[in-house]
Amino acid sequence: MDPDAVKSTLSNLAFGNVIAAAARDLKKEMVAKDKAQAAPASHDEVDLDELLDDPELEKLHAERIAALKKEAEKREVLKRQGHGEYREITEGDFLGEVTGSEKVICHFYHREFYRCKIMDKHLKALAPVYVGTKFVKLDAENAPFFVSKLAIKTLPCVILFKKGIAVDRLVGFQDLGSKDDFSTRALENILNMKCNHDRLLSYAALIHNSG
């Protein structure tokens, strides 16, 4: 037999064995990969079934539902008290409105003052966001008694009440950089700061959209 032919035959056989072995290895890898991909799905299904029957999870779910229900009920009570909107009141309403809620922001304004209208815009934006705080406004010209009692000299004047007591005030725009183009967020921050971090604007609505 031709030695070169023998070498060629052996070489071809060796190459064939290598290819066959590689094919077997590839097949094994593919089978292993398929098993690995299938295993997590099966595992997830088992875990999910276990979680659904977990009494601790059911307890947490029930507690969460109860908390949401309680929060919704509290929100409805506050709305009935005039929270959630920016409303105009009269001098005759003032005491009842201020003492009827734990937290109240009252804007004493003048109908013709441009800066009072700017303040109106921002307070109107905050009112539906911070349902826990009542937002009202009172025409200073039609409330001479309380303007005098509260020593209001400059408009707009925003007074912060807690449990019927005036805890602080925002006079004009002096705390807002004395500029007309301040943001609602800037006003929000000032109002909270003036309450000595007591969070007058607490118990926010479930969403917080002020800009």
Side-chain angles (χ1 to χ4, degrees):
M1 181 176 289
D2 185 353
D4 290 336
V6 172
K7 288 182 181 180
S8 177
T9 300
L10 291 175
S11 177
N12 288 338
L13 287 173
F15 180 72
N17 288 337
V18 170
I19 294 299
R24 287 195 298 272
D25 291 342
L26 178 61
K27 185 175 181 179
K28 287 180 182 178
E29 287 183 11
M30 291 177 67
V31 171
K33 185 176 181 181
D34 289 341
K35 287 182 178 179
Q37 289 177 341
S42 175
H43 182 65
D44 287 344
E45 289 175 4
V46 172
D47 285 349
L48 182 58
D49 290 338
E50 290 177 357
L51 286 173
L52 290 174
D53 294 330
D54 188 344
E56 287 298 319
L57 183 64
E58 290 181 4
K59 181 181 177 182
L60 289 172
H61 180 66
E63 289 175 351
R64 177 58 178 162
I65 294 298
L68 288 173
K69 183 178 179 181
K70 185 176 181 180
E71 192 169 286
E73 290 173 350
K74 183 176 181 180
R75 185 181 173 89
E76 286 304 312
V77 170
L78 289 170
K79 283 187 174 181
R80 288 196 293 271
Q81 294 174 352
H83 292 238
E85 59 181 333
Y86 182 48
R87 298 179 296 111
E88 179 153 12
I89 62 174
T90 66
E91 186 172 53
D93 299 329
F94 181 76
L95 281 179
E97 293 283 0
V98 170
T99 60
S101 295
E102 182 180 357
K103 301 168 185 178
V104 180
I105 289 178
C106 183
H107 172 207
F108 285 82
Y109 78 101
H110 190 288
R111 293 184 182 277
E112 302 301 323
F113 288 7
Y114 176 68
R115 283 194 164 183
C116 289
K117 294 176 182 179
I118 293 175
M119 184 63 71
D120 275 343
K121 179 186 72 173
H122 294 296
L123 292 176
K124 186 177 181 180
L126 288 173
V129 175
Y130 291 101
V131 180
T133 300
K134 181 186 291 182
F135 287 76
V136 294
K137 65 178 182 176
L138 180 58
D139 188 339
E141 281 193 316
N142 295 326
F145 178 80
F146 289 110
V147 166
S148 175
K149 286 293 183 182
L150 292 168
I152 296 172
K153 306 293 185 184
T154 302
L155 300 178
C157 181
V158 177
I159 301 184
L160 290 61
F161 295 89
K162 187 170 183 183
K163 296 181 179 179
I165 299 173
V167 294
D168 210 330
R169 66 181 61 196
L170 180 63
V171 179
F173 290 177
Q174 61 187 23
D175 292 309
L176 294 159
S178 297
K179 297 179 180 179
D180 295 351
D181 59 350
F182 62 88
S183 66
T184 302
R185 180 57 58 85
L187 175 61
E188 175 187 9
N189 292 338
I190 289 294
L191 291 175
N192 275 314
M193 184 182 70
K194 282 186 168 293
C195 287
N196 298 318
H197 306 289
D198 193 33
R199 303 302 293 177
L200 183 79
L201 301 183
S202 63
Y203 184 61
L206 296 179
I207 55 173
H208 188 299
N209 294 327
S210 61

